[in-house]
Amino acid sequence: MSINNSDLIIIFAPAGVDTKLLTSDLAGRPLIDYLIENVAVLGIRVKLIVLNNYDELYALLVNRDDIDLKVWQSGVSLDELLDYPLREGVLLLLDVRTFMFSSLTIERLLEKKREKLNSLKIIEGKYVDTYTIAQAISGEKDWSDILTFRFDSQQSNLNELLCLFLTTQSDVICTKDIDEFKPPVMIRDFVELAQVERQVLNQRAIDLMKQGVRIRNPETVEIRGELLCGREVEIDVNVIIKGKVSLADGVKVGSNSILIRSEIGERTEIKPYSIVEDAVVGADSFVGPYGRVRPGSTLGDRVQLGNFVEIKSSYIASGCRINHLSFIGDADLAENVTVGAGTITCNYDGIGVNHTVVEEGVTIGSGCNLVAPIEIGSNATIGAGSTITSDVPKNKLTLARSRQITKEKWQGPKTRR
C-alpha cells in the first residue's frame, strides 16, 4: 500500500483515563508502547495527543523520536493542535488504550478507507464515546448504531473534539470483511490489563516451545522482555524473564528463578529460586539453588555457586568454586579459586566500597572474613575462621584467629531459682 505524505494517524488519551494505567508495565513494556510501535512501523506521520494534566504520560514519551507529541492545553484550537489538512489524505483516530492493533490491521484500514469500500458516514446525533467508535471499527457494533453530536464551540472536552474531527472526513470504514483483521482490545482498567498480559505472556511461551524450547508449564512462565534461546533449553515452572536475556545451548533454568538482562552460557544450570541480574554467566557452570548474581558481575566457565551464595559487582574467573552461604562483593577472583562455606568479603567500611583481589589457585577456608582492601597471592591457603585484614603472601598458609583456650575449672552457667 502506498503511503501519502498527508496520511495521519492520531493517538490520543481521552479525558479521565488513569495515567497509571497508560504507563503501566504490560509484559515488560509500557502499555502505550505496543500501539505506538505498530503505528510507527508503517512510516506514517503519528501524532500523540495528551492532556496537560497527564504529566506522567508526557514524561514517559517526551524523548521519543517516532511520534509527534502534542499537549492539549486550554485555549489551543483543534486546528493548531493537529496541524492537519482536513480534506486531504486519510485519517485514523486511535484511542491510546487500544491494544493488539497490529500494523497489518492499521495498513488494511488505511487501504480500505482510501478505496472507500464498505464504508458509512457517521451521522449527527448525540455524543458517543471513543470506545463505541472502536467497537464499530472492530466490527462489534454496526456503524448505523453510531451517532455523534453537533459540535458546540463552547465545549472543550478532548473526546468530543476528536469525535467531531472524525466526522469531518467523508467516510469511515467497517472492517468485517478483512480476513487478516485482528480485532483491537480496549484496556480500560487493571483487570483488563492483567487479562491481556496473561494472554501475551502465554503466547510468548508457546512461540518458544514451537521453536524447540522445553517449557514445563507455559502458563506459569513470564517472559517480560526478549528471550533468545539456543537448542535444548529447558525452563521449569514459575520462571520470570525481564529485559533481554540470552540462554545458550543446553541451559536449564530451575523453578521460581528470575533472570534479568543477562547472558547464560552453554550447558549452565540456574537452579531453583535463583536470581541473575545484569550479569554474564559462562558455560558449564551452576548457580544455586537460592543463588543470587547481582548487577555488574561476570562468571567464567565451570564456575560453581552453591546454596545461598551472593555475588555483587565481581569478576569470577573460570574454575572457581564458591560454597554455600558465602558473599563475594566488589572482588576479582582469578582462575581455580575455592571459597569455603560462610566466607564473606567485607567490602564496605561505612564510607565507601573497597576491592578484594584473589589470585589463581587460592583456597580460602570456611567462615572467613576478608576485610577489603586486600590482595591474596596465588596458591595461598587461608585457614578456616580467619579474619584477614592485611595482604596475604602467595604459596603460604595464613591464619588469623585467637588461640583456643580451655578453662579446666569451669563450673558452667549458674541456674536461677
Side-chain angles (χ1 to χ4, degrees):
M1 183 193 75
S2 62
I3 303 297
N4 294 340
N5 291 333
S6 57
D7 288 344
L8 175 66
I9 292 179
I10 297 176
I11 304 174
F12 71 99
V17 175
D18 186 354
T19 305
K20 293 290 186 183
L21 178 66
L22 299 179
T23 57
S24 290
D25 176 279
L26 190 154
R29 298 166 58 190
L31 169 60
I32 194 173
D33 263 13
Y34 294 89
L35 181 58
I36 292 176
E37 181 179 274
N38 286 335
V39 170
V41 74
L42 296 175
I44 303 173
R45 291 187 302 148
V46 179
K47 289 185 183 293
L48 176 61
I49 300 175
V50 301
L51 299 181
N52 58 3
N53 59 342
Y54 283 170
D55 294 338
E56 293 183 26
L57 182 59
Y58 179 82
L60 179 68
L61 302 169
V62 66
N63 293 321
R64 295 189 64 137
D65 56 8
D66 53 354
I67 58 174
D68 180 9
L69 183 62
K70 299 288 186 180
V71 179
W72 179 267
Q73 299 172 334
S74 58
V76 177
S77 69
L78 184 62
D79 290 340
E80 291 173 329
L81 189 67
L82 299 178
D83 186 26
Y84 177 76
L86 299 182
R87 297 300 177 184
E88 299 179 18
V90 173
L91 168 70
L92 280 185
L93 183 69
L94 304 178
D95 191 306
V96 73
R97 297 168 295 175
T98 307
F99 182 76
M100 291 185 176
F101 213 18
S102 70
S103 56
L104 175 61
T105 299
I106 296 171
E107 187 174 10
R108 292 301 302 273
L109 284 171
L110 289 168
E111 181 181 336
K112 285 287 185 179
K113 189 168 188 345
R114 182 171 288 112
E115 295 172 356
K116 299 182 180 180
L117 298 176
N118 192 25
S119 61
L120 295 171
K121 293 181 180 179
I122 299 178
I123 61 176
E124 291 182 350
K126 65 180 181 179
Y127 168 69
V128 63
D129 64 23
T130 51
Y131 176 61
T132 307
I133 293 177
Q135 286 182 304
I137 292 176
S138 68
E140 295 179 31
K141 277 185 175 292
D142 191 274
W143 283 110
S144 60
D145 296 331
I146 305 244
L147 304 174
T148 67
F149 78 127
R150 185 182 297 277
F151 177 59
D152 181 346
S153 59
Q154 301 301 315
Q155 296 285 346
S156 61
N157 183 284
L158 181 63
N159 295 30
E160 297 169 348
L161 288 174
L162 289 176
C163 284
L164 168 75
F165 189 53
L166 185 60
T167 66
T168 64
Q169 306 305 298
S170 58
D171 296 282
V172 291
I173 106 173
C174 186
T175 56
K176 292 180 180 179
D177 62 335
I178 300 179
D179 294 336
E180 301 93 336
F181 181 69
K182 188 175 183 180
V185 175
M186 187 69 70
I187 300 178
R188 292 160 292 180
D189 53 40
F190 288 106
V191 174
E192 293 179 343
L193 181 70
Q195 293 171 343
V196 170
E197 182 176 50
R198 184 67 265 159
Q199 295 173 14
V200 172
L201 294 173
N202 190 57
Q203 187 59 52
R204 288 178 182 176
I206 290 174
D207 290 343
L208 283 172
M209 293 169 69
K210 291 180 178 179
Q211 297 171 19
V213 178
R214 172 71 191 279
I215 297 180
R216 295 280 180 172
N217 186 347
E219 294 183 358
T220 67
V221 172
E222 298 195 356
I223 303 168
R224 305 177 190 171
E226 181 183 4
L227 178 58
L228 306 176
C229 293
R231 297 171 298 174
E232 299 181 358
V233 171
E234 296 184 16
I235 302 176
D236 213 326
V237 299
N238 299 324
V239 170
I240 297 176
I241 306 293
K242 295 183 179 181
K244 186 174 183 179
V245 173
S246 174
L247 305 180
D249 295 349
V251 169
K252 296 182 180 180
V253 182
S255 60
N256 302 288
S257 293
I258 301 175
L259 304 181
I260 306 172
R261 297 179 297 273
S262 296
E263 299 178 16
I264 312 299
E266 296 178 349
R267 298 173 299 280
T268 287
E269 182 176 2
I270 306 300
K271 296 189 176 183
Y273 295 94
S274 295
I275 302 174
V276 180
E277 180 178 3
D278 291 311
V280 176
V281 181
D284 300 301
S285 301
F286 70 76
V287 176
Y290 294 95
R292 185 182 180 191
V293 183
R294 291 168 58 182
S297 297
T298 299
L299 278 59
D301 300 336
R302 305 181 310 283
V303 170
Q304 302 177 13
L305 301 187
N307 299 25
F308 298 98
V309 168
E310 181 176 355
I311 307 295
K312 178 246 179 184
S313 301
S314 296
Y315 175 77
I316 311 297
S318 298
C320 288
R321 298 181 299 169
I322 304 176
N323 294 303
H324 52 280
L325 299 170
S326 294
F327 168 74
I328 303 297
D330 300 281
D332 287 334
L333 273 61
E335 294 183 351
N336 302 316
V337 170
T338 298
V339 178
T343 289
I344 66 171
T345 56
C346 307
N347 56 330
Y348 184 64
D349 61 8
I351 299 176
V353 173
N354 299 296
H355 207 72
T356 298
V357 176
V358 182
E359 296 181 358
E360 64 177 326
V362 168
T363 299
I364 302 173
S366 299
C368 290
N369 301 310
L370 308 179
V371 183
I374 195 173
E375 293 187 14
I376 300 174
S378 60
N379 300 309
T381 299
I382 297 177
S386 296
T387 295
I388 303 298
T389 59
S390 301
D391 292 350
V392 174
K394 62 182 181 180
N395 300 318
K396 296 183 182 299
L397 169 64
T398 298
L399 302 171
R401 57 193 185 209
S402 61
R403 183 177 180 180
Q404 182 171 315
I405 299 175
T406 300
K407 297 291 186 179
E408 298 291 346
K409 297 182 179 181
W410 174 243
Q411 299 298 318
K414 296 180 180 180
T415 59
R416 293 182 180 179
R417 300 195 180 188

